[in-house]
Amino acid sequence: MILTSLSLYLYRLPLDRFLPVGKQRIDHRDGLVLQAKATAEGEASDIYATNGAAAKSKQRESHVEIAPLSGFDIDQQPLLGFSRESLDEVQQALVALLPKLQNQSIDCLLQQAEASPYPSIAFGLSLLHAKISGKLDTVRPVTTTVPLIYQPTDAPKTELAAKIANLDTSVRSVKVKVAQTSMEDELSLIYGILSQRPELKLRLDANRGFSLEQALDFAACLPLDSIEYIEEPCQKPQDNRTLYRAIPLPYALDESLNDPDYQFVMHEGLTALVIKPMLLGSIEKLQRLIDEANSHGVRCILSSSLEASLGINDLAHLAAILTPDEIPGLDTLAAFSQDLIVPSGKPQTLTLKCLKLVASTQQD
């Protein structure tokens, strides 16, 4: 198929409540939507003809969200430890790229994805290729997710208690943010969850928030039989193995994967990789990482980078393809005030007409 037009839009979505990015908090989400239209080869030359209705009927239109997890928190401090590229850098690169993609085969999207130095662009272009190719059409998206439990700093504790009490009976695992407040409060939260739902398994996420000494103290107080794993427990990743040798608490890697030089190496105690596609790169790169990890018995779990509903919907489809035996971590839409392109139940769904057009190859 041939790319006949591409358009780039900018969005900014306010959040109804703060979302955690490590220990930081954000109150809005910025990103881009890339729209592409493609037509079957041999038909592209007819789409602007007077009698081009038949050709237009063979045209495919797809949208992807490209939203690096960068920018500033509620205190106007730079977000640390996530996307290496800024939204401005990504926007400028895409504005320059769009004319080069015009009238090219959709396979050019894959070539540009592999060549891009920006993981969010690499992921977005490869996802756009998959969507235009129809690879996501026949996939039933994952509809279950692992609920995210954390104490909002801008909401009462009663709201958190209500969320725990209202967990669906089908839920088997929850993700709990730790290394955020006091150790006593977080242990109280963990035991409080289990007192209501003792059968639950907990996925803890420390975002490298503990020193080795703090991690040892924390792990010593945990109900280990109820913990699936803890993500990035230690400030120094090499200390994770020391922690595991002292207390057999399985750990997962998340932030470590964002290192541009990261290569999978199996270590004692490593049980899972938490994969944020927007931070890592193309679908092909993700598949290679998943295959390598799985060959060593390490689980791979897709997780959001706080995308809006368009991105979350695509991740749900992608999880069904790449990690069909795992429930992804996509429970981040509750804080969003509006949906983006794809409805998820919010009062308002923003369409392209509501967004700022940044660049387009569309012929008038």
Side-chain angles (χ1 to χ4, degrees):
M1 297 188 77
I2 301 298
L3 294 164
T4 54
S5 75
L6 301 106
S7 299
L8 187 65
Y9 298 84
L10 183 68
Y11 77 78
R12 183 182 181 91
L13 289 173
L15 302 176
D16 287 334
R17 63 179 65 102
F18 298 155
L19 270 177
V21 183
K23 286 192 174 184
Q24 297 173 279
R25 296 292 185 270
I26 59 172
D27 60 5
H28 67 276
R29 190 69 168 98
D30 295 318
L32 298 159
V33 174
L34 178 58
Q35 176 201 44
K37 296 177 183 178
T39 304
E41 241 174 309
E43 303 287 351
S45 60
D46 295 331
I47 65 170
Y48 299 110
T50 304
N51 61 348
K56 287 184 180 180
S57 68
K58 298 179 182 180
Q59 191 177 72
R60 288 187 65 98
E61 178 180 327
S62 295
H63 314 80
V64 294
E65 183 177 343
I66 300 178
L69 188 51
S70 57
F72 296 89
D73 66 11
I74 57 174
D75 298 316
Q76 295 305 303
Q77 297 301 308
L79 295 177
L80 302 175
F82 294 88
S83 290
R84 302 186 299 277
E85 68 265 36
S86 71
L87 184 61
D88 284 344
E89 289 174 326
V90 169
Q91 179 176 319
Q92 291 173 21
L94 286 171
V95 168
L97 179 61
L98 259 54
K100 300 176 184 177
L101 295 173
Q102 178 74 10
N103 297 323
Q104 299 297 311
S105 164
I106 62 170
D107 289 343
C108 188
L109 294 169
L110 294 181
Q111 297 165 11
Q112 293 295 334
E114 291 301 323
S116 177
Y118 301 123
S120 59
I121 292 180
F123 174 59
L125 294 181
S126 65
L127 178 61
L128 188 59
H129 180 274
K131 295 181 77 171
I132 293 175
S133 301
K135 294 179 181 178
L136 273 59
D137 289 355
T138 58
V139 177
R140 178 179 296 180
V142 177
T143 55
T144 55
T145 189
V146 177
L148 175 64
I149 304 293
Y150 66 99
Q151 176 58 58
T153 56
D154 55 340
K157 289 188 176 182
T158 52
E159 186 174 307
L160 177 60
K163 178 170 184 174
I164 297 168
N166 293 327
L167 287 172
D168 193 274
T169 55
S170 64
V171 171
R172 292 290 175 264
S173 297
V174 297
K175 181 172 180 174
V176 183
K177 288 284 188 178
V178 297
Q180 303 264 315
T181 58
S182 73
M183 194 174 296
E184 292 78 9
D185 284 349
E186 290 174 349
L187 288 169
S188 176
L189 173 60
I190 288 168
Y191 280 97
I193 293 170
L194 293 173
S195 68
Q196 294 188 58
R197 294 286 299 277
E199 80 283 4
L200 286 179
K201 297 298 182 182
L202 309 186
R203 301 176 180 181
L204 308 181
D205 185 5
N207 294 114
R208 294 185 176 179
F210 292 130
S211 67
L212 176 58
E213 293 73 18
Q214 290 171 327
L216 286 166
D217 289 343
F218 185 71
C221 299
L222 290 173
L224 295 182
D225 289 344
S226 296
I227 309 299
E228 280 190 50
Y229 55 75
I230 183 169
E231 291 179 39
E232 299 276 0
C234 298
Q235 294 164 355
K236 298 178 180 178
Q238 61 268 30
D239 286 341
N240 295 337
R241 284 167 270 167
T242 305
L243 171 64
Y244 181 79
R245 285 192 289 268
I247 299 173
L249 174 62
Y251 64 89
L253 297 182
D254 182 350
E255 285 88 348
S256 294
L257 309 185
N258 301 347
D259 186 327
D261 298 322
Y262 175 79
Q263 296 290 327
F264 179 86
V265 178
M266 185 61 197
H267 290 296
E268 185 181 17
L270 177 60
T271 192
L273 301 184
V274 179
I275 294 174
K276 293 181 168 64
M278 194 69 70
L279 307 188
L280 299 190
S282 70
I283 293 175
E284 289 71 19
K285 179 180 179 180
L286 301 180
Q287 185 67 72
R288 292 193 294 268
L289 177 59
I290 290 168
D291 289 344
E292 177 73 9
N294 287 168
S295 72
H296 289 82
V298 173
R299 304 164 60 186
C300 291
I301 297 156
L302 290 198
S303 180
S304 86
S305 303
L306 309 184
E307 292 91 344
S309 59
L310 173 60
I312 294 296
N313 182 66
D314 286 338
L315 287 175
H317 282 82
L318 205 55
I321 298 172
L322 297 180
T323 56
D325 297 325
E326 296 287 352
I327 299 174
L330 306 178
D331 182 34
T332 50
L333 283 181
F336 280 74
S337 60
Q338 300 166 311
D339 284 326
L340 180 68
I341 311 296
V342 177
S344 78
K346 303 292 182 187
Q348 183 180 7
T349 299
L350 299 183
T351 64
L352 293 180
K353 293 180 180 179
C354 304
L355 308 182
K356 179 183 178 182
L357 179 64
V358 175
S360 179
T361 65
Q362 179 72 52
Q363 299 180 24
D364 295 327

